[in-house]
Structures are given as C-alpha cells and as structure tokens.
Amino acid sequence: MSMPPVPFDAERIASQLEMGRQTMPWPQRRALVKAVADELERSGPREVLTSLLQLLADDPKWEVRKDVADSLLLVSEDDFPKLAARLSQDDNAYVRQAA
C-alpha cells in the first residue's frame, strides 16, 4: 500500500525562509522552486505559491533565481509582470536571459 503524498505547505516554507535563508541550503531552495512549479502546474496559480516564488526571486544564489525565471509562465497574468520585471533586471546574465 502506498502512502498518500505529503501536502505542500508553502506558508510554512515561506515563514522559514523569511526567518533566514541559511535555514535551508541553496540546493534545497532550488528543489523548492521545482516543487512550487510542480504545484502550480498541478493546482494552478495561487497567491501563496506566487508569494513563495517572489521570495525566492530575491535569493542570493543566481541558480535559484534562474530557476524562478524558468517557471515564470506558470504564474498568473496578474503576477507575471512584477516577477518578470524583477528578474529581467537581475545582476546575473543567465537569470536575465531566462526571464
């Protein structure tokens, strides 16, 4: 018998990251972006998920920010301009190009 999937708790994760990004290693933050993207594909745009992506768009690691840029098409039309504008002005060329 398989176990049911663990619910994705975006609010808890956002609170953890707001306390300090060092609470989660950067490779985990990259995996988190993928999990958020998967959840957006599964359930559609939701404010809590978009808020988490906005938080991760300011991550100190460019790899995390690029992953967020790669998932831009999954956010709502209302949230897209703000997030895309932020990432298209990024200091890193890979992030700007992905946005």
Side-chain angles (χ1 to χ4, degrees):
M1 178 181 258
S2 65
M3 298 289 292
V6 176
F8 186 79
D9 190 348
E11 290 179 23
R12 180 189 58 78
I13 294 167
S15 294
Q16 178 184 355
L17 290 174
E18 287 171 349
M19 286 191 286
R21 297 195 196 278
Q22 67 277 11
T23 62
M24 183 183 293
W26 73 269
Q28 275 187 289
R29 296 192 308 267
R30 285 191 78 186
L32 177 58
V33 174
K34 176 158 180 19
V36 170
D38 290 347
E39 188 67 20
L40 283 167
E41 284 183 320
R42 188 174 20 263
S43 66
R46 293 191 340 238
E47 185 177 335
V48 67
L49 297 174
T50 303
S51 295
L52 190 50
L53 281 182
Q54 289 172 344
L55 183 63
L56 290 163
D58 290 324
D59 198 272
K61 295 294 284 184
W62 70 266
E63 294 91 342
V64 176
R65 298 190 313 270
K66 183 187 177 299
D67 291 342
V68 173
D70 288 339
S71 64
L72 276 174
L73 294 178
L74 300 172
V75 301
S76 72
E77 290 180 17
D78 293 336
D79 295 314
F80 179 86
K82 180 181 177 183
L83 195 53
R86 156 68 187 92
L87 293 166
S88 66
Q89 300 298 316
D90 197 272
D91 292 336
N92 184 276
Y94 293 116
V95 177
R96 285 192 311 272
Q97 184 177 15

